[in-house]
Amino acid sequence: ALFARARQALERHRASLRHTDKIGIVDFSKASHDPRFHVVDLASGQVTSHLVAHGRGSDVGHTGFLEQFSNAFGSNATSNGAYATADFYQGKYGLSMKVNGLDWSNNNALARAIVVHSAWYAEADMIPLHGKLGRSEGCFAFGQRSHFDVMRELADGRLIYADKIA
């Protein structure tokens, strides 16, 4: 069902995307200790999966499960919907990638500085210690290796679709 929603978003936002060969699909119905960010090559059907953190405003009790989305400034929450990847920049966490929210549910992403970045709290070695990843301020935060793989695969105007199937 989430893949079908992502395909619909790809068609709906095709004009806002530079490339439609690969998409990122984030299944926030899964816990942060599970690989839930999937890079899908639409031509070959190949899928690679990665751990990704969610925003602390989406999981106030730090259960490891995203409980709510928000597009509000200051919420520190993850937003759902379709994103187009944008420019790289050097930030607090090193090389990072901006994303533009394409839906009403995430259209503040750029202004909220929601980005793709690496973070120590999103490394796989957090799971044996804490049973879950740490939380971002709404960004798609990855361990360093996954971070570079995701940015390489999805750079330059490709779709990331994030949601939760109840």
Side-chain angles (χ1 to χ4, degrees):
L2 192 58
F3 181 72
R5 285 188 193 178
R7 289 295 299 233
Q8 290 169 352
L10 181 68
E11 294 309 316
R12 189 170 59 251
H13 297 295
R14 188 173 286 277
S16 300
L17 303 168
R18 293 184 75 189
H19 303 282
T20 57
D21 57 334
K22 296 177 184 176
I23 61 174
I25 302 174
V26 196
D27 183 357
F28 281 122
S29 59
K30 293 185 176 181
S32 68
H33 61 68
D34 293 325
R36 58 187 180 169
F37 189 105
H38 311 288
V39 178
V40 181
D41 183 315
L42 295 172
S44 70
Q46 182 179 348
V47 178
T48 56
S49 300
H50 306 273
L51 296 168
V52 66
H54 55 258
R56 56 188 162 102
S58 292
D59 176 13
V60 177
H62 200 12
T63 64
F65 286 91
L66 183 143
E67 296 165 358
Q68 62 188 8
F69 293 108
S70 178
N71 192 30
F73 289 92
S75 68
N76 294 316
T78 297
S79 300
N80 59 327
Y83 298 83
T85 60
D87 299 331
F88 292 110
Y89 72 100
Q90 283 291 332
K92 177 180 176 182
Y93 294 101
L95 186 65
S96 302
M97 184 171 60
K98 295 178 182 179
V99 293
N100 291 309
L102 302 175
D103 292 326
W104 65 268
S105 60
N106 64 4
N107 62 1
N108 291 327
L110 197 60
R112 289 179 60 210
I114 302 303
V115 301
V116 172
H117 67 76
S118 66
W120 63 269
Y121 57 79
E123 294 289 348
D125 61 3
M126 292 292 109
I127 296 168
L129 295 173
H130 304 288
K132 58 191 169 253
L133 298 180
R135 298 166 297 167
S136 69
E137 293 184 353
C139 294
F140 299 104
F142 295 89
Q144 190 168 4
R145 182 181 173 107
S146 286
H147 161 252
F148 285 117
D149 289 346
V150 167
M151 288 201 318
R152 185 181 67 252
E153 296 288 325
L154 295 178
D156 197 28
R158 288 181 172 87
L159 180 82
I160 295 175
Y161 185 77
D163 211 349
K164 180 177 180 176
I165 302 293

